[in-house]
Amino acid sequence: MVLPPLPDAPPLVPVAPVATVAPVKKDRRVLRAVLRWSAAVVVFAVAGAGTAYGITRMDRTDVPGLATQSDGRWDYPTLVKPPLPSGSPGPLVKSNTAGAHYADLRKLVLPAPKGAKADKTLAGDDGWLDRKILLAEYASKTDREALGGKLTDYGLRHIAARGWTMPDGTRTRIYLLQFDTAALADDMMSKEITGYSEPVYPITGEGTSARDEVFPEKAQVADLVVNPYVEQKPYGAEQVRQAYLSAGDTVAIVLQSRKGEALAVPFEQTVTLQSELLS
């Protein structure tokens, strides 16, 4: 075997045996390299095919970036909380004993999803809604008067709202009711407008509603109290779903109704996203 030349050494003069053997060794080295690269290409091709096969076997919602609304979810815009005034704590921070939302309440109402038609009656005056529009949601005049009196007794400060209708006919109305303290808001919700088994005041067009026992825990945001209800069969022309949320100094009322049946998935999604904005 002929050794390779040393650095800075004069080249060796090849002899006859080298001329006949060296090309064979070089060819074998090339052949081995080609075989190695061919094997690598096969491995990557098999791995790639396996990955592609795995993706095709997965639900689209399991693949990041390929989620769809095929499960009934609506296409909401990315949520961005409004900035807090400098030095102000969030509503659920322990040091914020009043549970105050220092951010503008009007900017904490959930925005409408893609494809929605806005309900202009809930736009309010400069974003603040007259309580009469909220009270009109309730069926009985007696109930409207009773609830109106309690809003006064508990020192209601503001109502911010938004509503829309989706192409499938689902109507959504969201009302944010702000009080002076979290204690007042919590008492208003737990003692005056909700019960464990049913809401205190029926919504217009609603029959008998009961607590939504299948409302998923994952749709509830930590440290927020959520009371969800769903209208029971037999219902009339449309079904009503409703939820009451207590978040700091604010009570949120989420109403959804739809001819035939109000679907659970968009309702749960709407309640969860509104809860996140208020947390």
Side-chain angles (χ1 to χ4, degrees):
M1 180 176 179
V2 178
L3 296 176
L6 295 174
D8 299 327
L12 297 175
V13 178
V15 293
V18 176
T20 57
V21 175
V24 174
K25 292 185 178 181
K26 181 177 180 181
D27 289 344
R28 289 177 179 174
R29 290 196 298 269
V30 172
L31 179 60
R32 286 197 296 270
V34 170
L35 290 175
R36 285 197 299 269
W37 278 107
S38 299
V41 169
V42 171
V43 169
F44 283 116
V46 171
T51 302
Y53 175 76
I55 290 177
T56 60
R57 297 292 298 171
M58 298 169 68
D59 293 332
R60 286 178 62 82
T61 51
D62 294 334
V63 184
L66 295 182
T68 70
Q69 280 69 51
S70 60
D71 61 355
R73 285 177 294 172
W74 291 342
D75 187 4
Y76 278 100
T78 301
L79 300 185
V80 179
K81 291 184 179 181
L84 292 169
S86 179
S88 299
L92 304 183
V93 175
K94 289 184 178 180
S95 61
N96 187 353
T97 56
H101 281 88
Y102 290 105
D104 190 331
L105 192 70
R106 294 167 293 185
K107 296 181 180 179
L108 291 175
V109 187
L110 184 66
K114 183 178 179 180
K117 181 180 179 181
D119 184 347
K120 295 182 180 179
T121 62
L122 299 187
D125 182 9
D126 196 27
W128 299 117
L129 192 72
D130 190 315
R131 69 175 66 185
K132 293 180 181 179
I133 298 177
L134 166 64
L135 295 175
E137 292 280 6
Y138 297 90
S140 163
K141 180 181 178 182
T142 301
D143 288 347
R144 293 194 294 270
E145 291 175 348
L147 179 55
K150 290 175 181 178
L151 293 177
T152 298
D153 294 342
Y154 279 81
L156 175 68
R157 295 174 55 198
H158 304 293
I159 300 178
R162 179 169 288 117
W164 61 82
T165 301
M166 293 298 284
D168 71 348
T170 302
R171 294 190 305 121
T172 301
R173 291 91 72 203
I174 299 176
Y175 302 92
L176 304 187
L177 288 64
Q178 191 170 38
F179 299 87
D180 283 329
T181 65
L184 288 170
D186 184 64
D187 285 350
M188 179 68 193
M189 187 178 93
S190 61
K191 297 179 180 180
E192 306 295 352
I193 58 178
T194 67
Y196 178 80
S197 59
E198 61 183 1
V200 174
Y201 302 110
I203 298 297
T204 300
E206 170 195 5
T208 301
S209 283
R211 189 171 188 86
D212 188 350
E213 298 292 352
V214 298
F215 192 88
E217 290 187 8
K218 65 181 181 180
Q220 303 184 36
V221 176
D223 299 324
L224 266 67
V225 178
V226 180
N227 289 330
Y229 305 96
V230 58
E231 185 178 1
Q232 304 297 294
K233 293 181 178 180
Y235 33 82
E238 62 180 16
Q239 185 186 31
V240 177
R241 291 182 182 269
Q242 54 189 303
Y244 294 80
L245 325 175
S246 177
D249 63 356
T250 300
V251 172
I253 302 173
V254 179
L255 306 174
Q256 278 190 2
S257 55
R258 180 174 180 263
K259 184 177 180 180
E261 180 185 7
L263 302 178
V265 170
F267 176 70
E268 294 162 1
Q269 181 192 19
T270 301
V271 172
T272 300
L273 295 178
Q274 182 58 75
S275 299
E276 290 178 351
L277 279 174
L278 289 173
S279 64

